Amino acid sequence: MNVVLNGLSRHYRTVSFDAATNAVVLIEQRMLPHQFQLVQTADYRETAAAIRDMIVRGAGAIGATAAYGLAQGVRAFRGSGLAAFEKHVARVFQALADARPTAVDPLNAMRGVLAEMQAGETVAERQALALAAAEEFAHENVNNCRAIGQQGARLIRHGMTVLTHCNAGWLAFVDIGTATAPLYAAQARGKRFRVICDETRPRCQGSSLTAWELAQQGIEHRVIADNAAGHLMQRGEIDLVIVGSDRVLGRTGEVANKIGTYTKAVLAHRHKIPFYVAIPLSTIDWTLESGEAIPIEERDADEVLCADGLLLHPQSSTRNPQSGRRVQIRVANPTSRALNPGFDVTPPELITAIITPLGLFKPKDLWPHLHSLTSQSAARNPGRT
Ligand code: MRU
């Protein structure tokens, strides 16, 4: 992603690795859009905490972070005994896997790293293979997002208004994003369109992160309160919806995504607006048999009961957000408690198609394509709706 800071444009990845210091390097997403900072995690426990506390968030980004965190933990092992090494690897894996439960990308990414490590005969060989595999996952994540852009760009026509929910953009992946990839590819093809960003309460990833990304990218957009989408759809002001996902069930076509996605899918269905879900293949869970079995993260009640933001300096005539400091204020009745499920599950009949790097699939058509979607030859045999 190209970020403009102090008038200079520079390319950053959301997640990267510094092999010299054995550190995972992350964009501090909790400070955006007000401040752009990079942070480094010193060990795998700090990396797991960065995922849990949402310094880094978004399925693909936490997948890459978990893969790097596993390599980081593996590389920190001192000794040459394989039995002790494997116990250590299992501890690191579990700490990272437990950080956030709903997205399947971290599990898929780390399982890929573990599989690659098996080719090593010594601890040192396995340590080197772990980092190479994590780098490969990150690299593939970028390539997959680019391919999603090429597959999805044809859905965006000149003059359209596209609704998106939460942030499935650069910041939710290593680069480019999934729901945003068709937008960026369409922009590169010279198409002009407008994006509506759902604010996405309670953490406001839409108004803070997606809106910031689109502004950096020079794409016309508006932020709306989550409750405004139905009204806009009823008035014919939304042509298309594209969202990302944290876990798509390959067997059923059910889609787990940020809370509120299901509501938007129901509304889109009612108004006959096409509803697409853009994902890399690492977001597919081929094992679970029902959406009810997806672990839905229950997050801190304060996310719902309070609002966070930057306090604008009262004397600042320009109301420059850089001048303020981050604060949390209580909005809800002081004695009330909250429910805060982080994700919901959208059934396949509400989804027009899943945009993958290999083509567009009806949700129910993923399972019949299990073999081609999971084999190396898939790239040469793209599926179609
Ligand atoms: O809680 P978050 O911000 O990590 O939620 C994940 C998401 O960003 C969304 O659900 C997104 O739409 C899909 S992840 C690419």
Side-chain angles (χ1 to χ4, degrees), residues 52 54 57-59 62 99-103 165-167 199-206 226 244-247 255-263 294-304 338-346:
R52 193 187 54 240
M54 295 179 68
R57 33 64 51 206
I62 63 174
R100 290 195 74 190
T102 303
H165 188 70
C166 194
N167 173 265
E199 169 190 36
T200 320
R201 278 284 290 155
R203 285 189 72 100
C204 295
Q205 291 95 327
D226 293 316
S245 172
D246 300 86
R247 188 183 303 229
V255 167
N257 195 47
K258 181 53 57 190
I259 194 76
T261 302
Y262 171 56
T263 317
I294 298 174
I296 300 292
E297 181 179 10
E298 180 73 25
R299 295 195 56 86
D300 196 307
D302 278 354
E303 290 182 353
V304 173
L339 287 175
N340 188 12
F343 300 90
D344 58 29
V345 178
T346 299

Side-chain angles (χ1 to χ4, degrees), residues 233 260-270 275 346-347 350-351:
M233 289 185 184
T261 302
Y262 171 56
T263 317
K264 300 301 147 75
V266 171
L267 283 168
H269 194 253
R270 155 104 189 166
F275 188 97
T346 299
L350 299 182
I351 297 164

Side-chain angles (χ1 to χ4, degrees), residues 18-335:
D18 182 353
T21 56
N22 200 35
V24 183
V25 184
L26 302 166
I27 294 175
E28 189 9 318
Q29 298 196 32
R30 298 172 307 180
M31 299 307 289
L32 289 173
H34 309 297
Q35 284 160 24
F36 184 85
Q37 289 173 10
L38 296 179
V39 294
Q40 300 207 354
T41 59
D43 58 34
Y44 79 85
R45 288 190 184 85
E46 273 191 30
T47 304
I51 295 173
R52 193 187 54 240
D53 299 341
M54 295 179 68
I55 287 175
V56 60
R57 33 64 51 206
I62 63 174
T65 305
Y68 280 134
L70 182 58
Q72 178 185 40
V74 160
R75 293 172 92 231
F77 180 81
R78 296 286 168 260
S80 56
L82 274 178
F85 175 71
E86 288 308 328
K87 270 194 188 157
H88 171 76
V89 173
R91 261 198 309 275
V92 177
F93 183 100
Q94 211 47 54
L96 291 159
D98 289 345
R100 290 195 74 190
T102 303
V104 78
D105 294 68
L107 293 176
N108 284 339
M110 289 196 292
R111 286 178 187 140
V113 172
L114 289 184
E116 291 295 321
M117 282 168 61
Q118 293 318 304
E121 288 178 3
T122 63
V123 167
E125 282 175 12
R126 290 187 186 184
Q127 287 172 320
L129 286 167
L131 181 55
E135 291 285 15
E136 181 59 21
F137 179 86
H139 183 65
E140 276 305 299
N141 190 264
V142 178
N143 286 343
N144 282 327
C145 288
R146 191 170 292 118
I148 288 168
Q150 297 311 315
Q151 298 289 353
R154 64 192 159 94
L155 303 173
I156 318 285
R157 289 193 305 276
H158 209 72
M160 263 187 166
T161 298
V162 182
L163 177 83
T164 189
H165 188 70
C166 194
N167 173 265
W170 313 324
L171 292 162
F173 290 84
V174 177
D175 205 347
I176 302 171
T178 54
T180 50
L183 306 176
Y184 298 154
Q187 181 191 35
R189 293 178 191 183
K191 295 184 193 175
R192 287 180 65 86
F193 52 88
R194 186 166 87 135
V195 180
I196 301 285
C197 309
D198 280 343
E199 169 190 36
T200 320
R201 278 284 290 155
R203 285 189 72 100
C204 295
Q205 291 95 327
S207 59
S208 59
L209 304 179
T210 305
W212 179 74
E213 275 194 24
L214 294 173
Q216 294 285 322
Q217 200 77 29
I219 290 182
E220 192 192 338
H221 62 281
R222 295 284 186 280
V223 175
I224 60 165
D226 293 316
N227 295 333
H231 166 76
L232 295 175
M233 289 185 184
Q234 200 177 40
R235 297 273 168 112
E237 291 180 33
I238 291 172
D239 301 302
L240 186 74
V241 183
I242 311 183
V243 299
S245 172
D246 300 86
R247 188 183 303 229
V248 171
L249 298 198
R251 288 171 182 269
T252 66
E254 288 160 286
V255 167
N257 195 47
K258 181 53 57 190
I259 194 76
T261 302
Y262 171 56
T263 317
K264 300 301 147 75
V266 171
L267 283 168
H269 194 253
R270 155 104 189 166
H271 296 287
K272 299 187 174 49
I273 297 168
F275 188 97
Y276 291 93
V277 178
I279 55 159
L281 301 179
S282 57
T283 300
I284 303 180
D285 178 334
W286 295 103
T287 312
L288 287 188
E289 295 183 359
S290 159
E292 285 180 20
I294 298 174
I296 300 292
E297 181 179 10
E298 180 73 25
R299 295 195 56 86
D300 196 307
D302 278 354
E303 290 182 353
V304 173
L305 301 171
C306 303
D308 288 85
L310 215 79
L311 197 63
L312 296 173
H313 197 287
Q315 264 85 53
S316 164
S317 55
T318 56
R319 295 172 67 80
N320 175 6
Q322 305 288 350
S323 67
R325 62 188 166 81
R326 279 197 80 80
V327 287
Q328 184 175 65
I329 55 165
R330 175 85 184 195
V331 176
N333 171 47
T335 56

